[in-house]
Amino acid sequence: MKNILLIYTGGTIGMIQKNNSLNPFDFDNLKNAIPEIKDCGSDVQHISLEKPIDSSNMNIKNWVSLSNCIYNHYDQYDGFVILHGSDTMAYTASMLSFMFENVNKAIILTGSQLPIGIKRSDAKENLITSIEIASNGIINEVCVYFEYQLFRGNRVVKVNADNFDAFKSPNYPILAQAGVKIKYQKQYISTGSNKKLKLFSEISNDVAILKTFPSINKNFVKSVLNSSKGIILESFGSGNATTEKWFLEELESAINNGKIIINVSQCLSGSVRQGDYHTSLLLKKIGVISGSDMTTEAALTKLMHLLGQKYSNDKIKKEITFNLRGEITI
Ligand code: ASP
């Protein structure tokens, strides 16, 4: 029998209605509603983060406790299932993928769109199937399981606030589809590593996102550039932005002053290709780094991770373009 550690962080899955809104509740609420956990074929132990949260409150401190919890129990368990709110699940999945190197077990995040206590809830299926996937020894990476699909964690985006299929992996195939049987697409799944698991707990939040829009104003651009060392530039299409002189000058002087700017697309699918258009070639010329087909969540958490290691700017700029954990297509 496989040993699985179920880590409860909060999220809708365990919430109850209080004062007319949904609030995180303790693990017992969840356990009592899913008696199947006891006889799902695996030995499932559980642990809760200090205080269950709505994942909108997720932060570096929580990421560090969560990763420590996995790290400290890594040898005792065959796989891990993390119950997490869907709102920031894509960020946490990406962050964990960078915090851990040499993963050779399943670390699966799941949650639900409706609380477990509600009859039509998607919680039971998401949880029981995640446990089954974590138990079968095929997965060696951080994943998200939601509504019959298993995704690479650093490739997912939350795309729907209403439907059960809340996540998509626009630039990477799904890893498995759960139907009558769970069909794995082994060619897309990480092969794992037999080296010792390594945890990187240093994370920096000296980062910002600069989303471009037509007629963007200088004060806004200046204040975002001033605010942080690492900036994710969310550009148009395949990496394009306005060629107004002041815009390029602001970006160029920020880069010359030691800021790191990474170009990702506002489009859900596809890739940044700096140079296809004159409007992106100019960004490349001033030193903006292409984020290729990374999601904003992956680019942001990768930058938080790299800045946290206190690497030189040159090293960070190189690593951004490398494929560290399957987050980018080279
Ligand atoms: N606000 C909730 C959370 O992210 C939504 C959810 O769990 O689906 O914690």
Side-chain angles (χ1 to χ4, degrees):
M1 197 186 263
K2 295 290 174 74
N3 296 317
I4 301 299
L5 184 62
L6 186 59
I7 308 174
Y8 179 53
T9 70
T12 299
I13 194 161
M15 287 191 188
I16 51 163
Q17 196 80 22
K18 207 168 72 189
N19 303 329
N20 291 325
S21 65
L22 285 170
N23 293 272
F25 200 62
D26 63 29
F27 186 78
D28 289 341
N29 183 41
L30 218 134
K31 202 175 55 188
N32 297 337
I34 314 188
E36 289 88 344
I37 295 178
K38 274 195 223 96
D39 44 35
C40 66
S42 298
D43 182 1
V44 182
Q45 302 295 319
H46 77 267
I47 199 163
S48 293
L49 284 198
E50 228 172 279
K51 189 172 166 278
I53 56 166
D54 184 301
S55 77
S56 309
N57 282 317
M58 190 47 72
N59 57 26
I60 291 179
K61 198 169 155 255
N62 293 321
W63 282 335
V64 171
S65 344
L66 182 56
S67 58
N68 276 335
C69 175
I70 295 168
Y71 189 79
N72 294 334
H73 292 94
Y74 196 72
D75 295 333
Q76 286 153 259
Y77 290 91
D78 299 299
F80 299 83
V81 174
I82 303 167
L83 299 176
H84 192 290
S86 63
D87 287 346
T88 61
M89 193 182 286
Y91 290 89
T92 298
S94 290
M95 193 73 242
L96 288 178
S97 79
F98 297 117
M99 293 178 84
F100 288 119
E101 193 177 2
N102 305 327
V103 172
N104 67 352
K105 294 179 183 183
I107 301 177
I108 300 178
L109 290 103
T110 193
S112 66
Q113 289 283 64
L114 281 175
I116 188 69
I118 293 187
K119 281 201 176 63
R120 290 180 52 252
S121 176
D122 47 334
K124 194 180 281 187
E125 200 290 318
N126 286 347
L127 173 52
I128 296 298
T129 305
S130 294
I131 294 173
E132 184 169 337
I133 293 172
S135 303
N136 66 20
I138 295 177
I139 300 297
N140 301 297
E141 56 182 300
V142 178
C143 299
V144 165
Y145 179 77
F146 226 87
E147 188 64 4
Y148 305 110
Q149 296 194 310
L150 183 73
F151 307 98
R152 173 162 292 165
N154 52 32
R155 292 288 195 157
V156 287
V157 182
K158 184 173 180 183
V159 292
N160 202 309
D162 294 338
N163 294 354
F164 289 136
D165 54 347
F167 290 92
K168 283 224 174 329
S169 169
N171 286 330
Y172 196 75
I174 58 165
L175 304 185
Q177 177 82 43
V180 174
K181 288 190 173 156
I182 301 173
K183 287 193 186 140
Y184 293 92
Q185 303 218 78
K186 291 199 178 146
Q187 69 274 35
Y188 299 121
I189 298 171
S190 159
T191 47
S193 159
N194 47 21
K195 293 197 191 128
K196 195 176 162 4
L197 183 75
K198 196 166 166 192
L199 171 62
F200 297 86
S201 319
E202 300 303 321
I203 304 170
S204 165
N205 70 346
D206 196 2
V207 288
I209 299 176
L210 174 58
K211 180 167 181 161
T212 55
F213 53 90
S215 218
I216 193 166
N217 80 64
K218 193 169 176 175
N219 282 344
F220 170 66
V221 172
K222 264 169 140 6
S223 67
V224 178
L225 292 174
N226 277 336
S227 72
S228 313
K229 172 158 171 107
I231 317 286
I232 305 299
L233 172 69
E234 268 199 4
S235 60
F236 306 123
S238 58
N240 312 310
T242 176
T243 52
E244 279 194 55
K245 197 162 166 276
W246 67 264
F247 181 80
L248 292 166
E249 278 173 4
E250 288 299 333
L251 264 59
E252 188 170 22
S253 103
I255 293 166
N256 291 340
N257 286 322
K259 311 262 174 174
I260 296 165
I261 306 183
I262 302 168
N263 189 357
V264 298
S265 176
Q266 287 175 23
C267 296
L268 191 56
S269 308
S271 179
V272 162
R273 294 180 305 276
Q274 294 190 141
D276 270 13
Y277 291 88
H278 185 62
T279 44
S280 65
L281 182 65
L282 294 178
L283 294 173
K284 184 179 178 179
K285 281 193 173 151
I286 61 171
V288 172
I289 311 293
S290 170
S292 185
D293 65 347
M294 278 190 286
T295 61
T296 296
E297 291 85 339
L300 184 85
T301 52
K302 187 174 184 178
L303 190 53
M304 293 172 89
H305 159 69
L306 294 172
L307 287 170
Q309 309 317 304
K310 309 230 165 29
Y311 295 146
S312 68
N313 276 15
D314 280 352
K315 178 155 165 110
I316 294 178
K317 287 178 187 176
K318 269 197 203 122
E319 296 259 319
I320 283 293
T321 63
F322 292 167
N323 179 13
L324 300 184
R325 311 280 193 268
E327 75 283 1
I328 191 170
T329 308
I330 303 294

